[in-house]
């Protein structure tokens, strides 16, 4: 059973992330990744998709050419959970291994 992140645990978890921000209108985090090419962006999305499927935890995202806007939240708790933090950290690592601007 996944739990909603609140209080100190939530603050500590968010502090481990770089470049992510909380949305104003709902309990979710977002980050825009920019790569050199569409090929690089799609490679990142492919690695993200395989991880998301393994986790059974899926991003909301929007891609235009080399840019990927990602939003993470846990629908099952209507907010943030440790799963969002785990996926965000994976995405940051995957982006680092991908050619960026
Ligand atoms: N993806 N982001 C996100 N949040 C969820 O709560 C979620 C998911 N993917 C699958 C999933 N939940 C399943 O556990 C079912 O709720 C479909």
């Amino acid at each position: 059973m996944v739990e909603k992140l609140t209080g100190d645990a939530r603050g500590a978890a968010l502090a481990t992330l770089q470049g992510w921000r909380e949305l104003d209108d709902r309990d979710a985090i977002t980050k825009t990744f920019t790569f050199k090419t569409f090929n690089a962006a799609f490679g990142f999305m492919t690695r993200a998709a395989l991880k998301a499927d393994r986790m059974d935890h899926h991003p909301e995202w929007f891609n235009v050419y080399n840019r990927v806007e990602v939003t993470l939240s846990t629908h099952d708790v209507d907010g943030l959970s440790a799963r969002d933090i785990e996926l965000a950290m994976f995405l940051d690592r995957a982006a680092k291994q991908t050619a960026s601007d």
Side-chain angles (χ1 to χ4, degrees):
M1 177 60 195
V2 63
E3 285 177 26
K4 188 165 177 160
L5 268 178
T6 58
D8 288 351
R10 178 192 174 97
L14 288 176
T16 66
L17 302 179
Q18 289 199 338
W20 292 84
R21 67 173 175 81
E22 296 174 79
L23 289 187
D24 294 331
D25 56 347
R26 51 185 278 233
D27 191 9
I29 53 174
T30 189
K31 181 173 176 176
T32 297
F33 295 89
T34 306
F35 302 94
K36 278 192 175 149
T37 61
F38 174 75
N39 187 299
F42 204 79
F44 164 79
M45 292 175 77
T46 302
R47 286 186 284 282
L50 295 176
K51 170 70 172 176
D53 209 39
R54 281 198 301 277
M55 289 180 69
D56 192 26
H57 194 68
H58 302 86
E60 301 165 36
W61 52 14
F62 178 74
N63 162 241
V64 177
Y65 183 53
N66 63 337
R67 196 176 80 242
V68 185
E69 298 171 14
V70 181
T71 297
L72 301 178
S73 75
T74 301
H75 316 140
D76 294 353
V77 300
D78 197 23
L80 285 184
S81 75
R83 289 187 190 166
D84 299 303
I85 307 302
E86 180 184 343
L87 188 54
M89 292 176 83
F90 176 90
L91 296 178
D92 283 345
R93 286 197 303 274
K96 274 195 182 138
Q97 295 164 0
T98 308
S100 301
D101 261 355

